[in-house]
Amino acid sequence: MGGPNLEVFKFSLYLFVPIAALVHFGDPEWYRKHVVPYRDRLFPGPERTSQNIPKETAAIREELARIKAERLARRVAQEPENQSQNKS
């Protein structure tokens, strides 16, 4: 159909595209410029994450109760704001 020239072109294209992608996206400077800022916006910093994960059942239940209490307090605090917005 296409002949040997087409096969050589396809083979070279199949080799060139992944190698070009590795050269372009594998550059450390490109990574620092494009990926690191996005990663910092996407994931919370270590100061905002919990490093002490409870392993005992009682500690897990206490932590869940604390989280639920925080959510409930936040929801109660937001209710007056929502009611005033709905009346307007």
Side-chain angles (χ1 to χ4, degrees):
M1 287 235 175
N5 287 339
L6 179 63
E7 293 301 320
V8 169
F9 173 74
K10 286 183 357 184
F11 181 73
S12 61
L13 189 67
Y14 293 156
L15 286 178
F16 175 74
V17 170
I19 291 173
L22 286 173
V23 168
H24 177 71
F25 295 113
D27 183 30
E29 186 60 35
W30 184 89
Y31 183 82
R32 278 186 226 105
K33 184 178 176 186
H34 293 92
V35 176
V36 172
Y38 184 70
R39 181 192 65 194
D40 293 340
R41 284 188 302 165
L42 190 61
F43 297 109
E47 66 279 352
R48 290 186 52 214
T49 57
S50 176
Q51 302 297 327
N52 301 332
I53 299 173
K55 294 182 174 60
E56 299 173 4
T57 306
I60 292 172
R61 288 191 177 144
E62 290 172 7
E63 186 67 19
L64 286 174
R66 183 188 65 80
I67 291 171
K68 287 179 183 178
E70 286 179 4
R71 285 183 184 168
L72 181 62
R74 222 179 301 137
R75 188 178 307 141
V76 168
Q78 288 178 352
E79 279 182 8
E81 295 173 7
N82 291 340
Q83 289 177 357
S84 65
Q85 289 176 357
N86 290 339
K87 290 180 181 179
S88 298

